[in-house]
Amino acid sequence: GSSVPLAAAVAARGHPPMKALGVVCLALSLALAGADAEEAATNPLAKVLELLSGLQQQVISEGQAAQTTFNDISSACEDRSRELHHEIKAGKASIEELKALINEQSATILALSQKIEDLGGNIADNEAELKEGTEIREHEAATFGAEEKELLETLDAIKRATAILERAAAGAAGAASLAQLKGARSLVQVFTAMVQANAVSSADVSRLTALVQMDGAQESDEDEADEEALGDPAGNVYEGKGGAVADALENLSEKAEDQLEAARKAETNALHNYQMKTQALEAEMKQQNKDMTTSKQSLSTAQEKKASAEGELSVGTKDLEEVVKVLGDLHHDCMAKAAAFQEETKS
């Protein structure tokens, strides 16, 4: 606690010994007031009075010096006490600020750690989605490539078959080949006859046959019409491009062209969708990675601030404890000096 002003604590007690000495000297002075000079010169009491008077002046002088010294000590104790109390107040305030800073940085560290964890999960999800989308796109592109190649080869086969029919109708082909074609009752039979005449390859026939089969019910109706046309022995089904087989081949060519166009359109749309999705995912991951870098830097800063504050708190706490101890020692020392002064003035 605060020290009691030492001068005030002692002033009320007075100086009894000096008061008693003054009374004795006064009494002796009155008793010898009537003595003449000669008697005073030979009177032993006069000598005593003279000694006591000198002693009185000495005691008074020493008492004043002691009081001055004590007042200086008391003032020094009070000044030091105020300084220590100020240091304690400032130390406590600093400790509270450090504790608040530590709590603040702890909350920041917790929030940033959670954010970094969430960002890591989101980035991983986006990477997985991008990988999956890329694999699907590659599969789609491969499927389209194979389909496009097949359709282009089918169109080439149709062109070759049409050219053979035109040459046969114009009499450019041999009689045997023309007879085989006239005996055909369906497109499949026509294709077979072309293979037997070495006009087209079996691979071309396979493609053309597959295209006819994919045509379904509509193609079946056309086959029936072809059979009716081919069943007329008197009719020349190969005349120009008006024959039933030539018309069927032209129809197949149109269907193949439509399929190729649809496949290319689907591929274009799939590619566009993939590019848009990829662009969006990459932009999102770019921002997420940027946020991740910033968050990690902020986390590191917060951890450093917390560690620094904890170090300062440890030092500040020890310093405060030391100042409190110094204040206690000061109080004890000053009170001891006050007690010694009081005892000294009694003697």
Side-chain angles (χ1 to χ4, degrees), residues 13-284:
R13 301 180 62 90
H15 303 285
M18 287 188 287
K19 287 184 178 180
L21 182 60
V23 171
V24 172
C25 292
L26 178 60
L28 291 172
S29 298
L30 292 174
L32 300 175
D36 53 19
E38 182 179 355
E39 183 180 2
T42 59
N43 191 341
L45 289 177
K47 290 291 185 178
V48 172
L49 180 59
E50 183 179 353
L51 291 173
L52 289 175
S53 178
L55 180 61
Q56 179 187 25
Q57 294 300 322
Q58 180 181 354
V59 171
I60 291 173
S61 176
E62 291 176 354
Q64 290 175 344
Q67 185 65 48
T68 300
T69 300
F70 179 74
N71 289 341
D72 292 341
I73 294 174
S74 176
S75 178
C77 285
E78 292 173 2
D79 291 343
R80 182 56 177 154
S81 178
R82 280 193 296 271
E83 291 176 0
L84 293 173
H85 275 93
H86 177 73
E87 290 183 22
I88 290 172
K89 182 179 179 180
K92 288 181 177 179
S94 177
I95 286 175
E96 291 303 315
E97 290 178 359
L98 289 170
K99 288 181 178 179
L101 178 59
I102 290 171
N103 291 335
E104 177 185 354
Q105 296 306 316
S106 295
T108 300
I109 290 171
L110 181 62
L112 288 172
S113 298
Q114 184 62 51
K115 182 178 180 180
I116 291 172
E117 182 180 351
D118 293 341
L119 284 170
N122 293 335
I123 292 172
D125 291 342
N126 286 336
E127 288 176 343
E129 185 176 354
L130 181 60
K131 180 181 178 181
E132 181 181 6
T134 300
E135 291 174 351
I136 293 174
R137 174 85 281 273
E138 291 174 349
H139 176 72
E140 290 174 344
T143 301
F144 165 73
E147 183 180 5
E148 182 183 42
K149 179 182 178 182
E150 184 68 22
L151 287 170
L152 289 172
E153 291 176 349
T154 298
L155 287 170
D156 286 341
I158 292 173
K159 289 179 181 178
R160 287 192 294 272
T162 301
I164 291 171
L165 290 176
E166 290 176 348
R167 288 198 301 271
S177 297
L178 182 59
Q180 288 176 336
L181 292 175
K182 283 188 175 182
R185 304 295 299 172
S186 69
L187 282 176
V188 174
Q189 291 179 4
V190 171
F191 298 153
T192 302
M194 288 181 177
V195 172
Q196 291 175 351
N198 294 323
V200 295
S201 66
S202 59
D204 287 343
V205 171
S206 297
R207 293 187 183 94
L208 294 173
T209 301
L211 187 60
V212 171
Q213 292 173 347
M214 284 190 299
D215 196 28
Q218 182 179 358
E219 190 61 45
S220 296
D221 294 340
E222 292 176 354
D223 285 346
E224 291 176 2
D226 292 342
E227 290 176 2
E228 291 177 0
L230 291 171
D232 184 4
N236 184 356
V237 297
Y238 305 108
E239 182 179 355
K241 288 191 178 181
V245 175
D247 291 342
L249 287 175
E250 184 176 357
N251 184 52
L252 290 177
S253 178
E254 291 175 356
K255 292 182 182 300
E257 290 283 359
D258 290 343
Q259 290 182 20
L260 180 60
E261 182 181 357
R264 285 173 172 172
K265 184 177 180 180
E267 168 65 11
T268 299
N269 291 336
L271 178 60
H272 175 72
N273 292 337
Y274 168 75
Q275 290 173 339
M276 294 297 293
K277 184 65 176 178
T278 299
Q279 183 179 359
L281 286 173
E282 288 177 345
E284 185 175 2

Side-chain angles (χ1 to χ4, degrees), residues 300-329:
S300 178
T301 300
Q303 290 172 335
E304 290 176 0
K305 287 183 178 179
K306 180 182 177 183
S308 177
E310 288 175 339
E312 291 180 20
L313 177 61
S314 177
V315 173
T317 300
K318 291 179 181 179
D319 289 345
L320 180 60
E321 292 173 352
E322 182 64 24
V323 173
V324 171
K325 182 179 182 300
V326 170
L327 178 62
D329 293 343

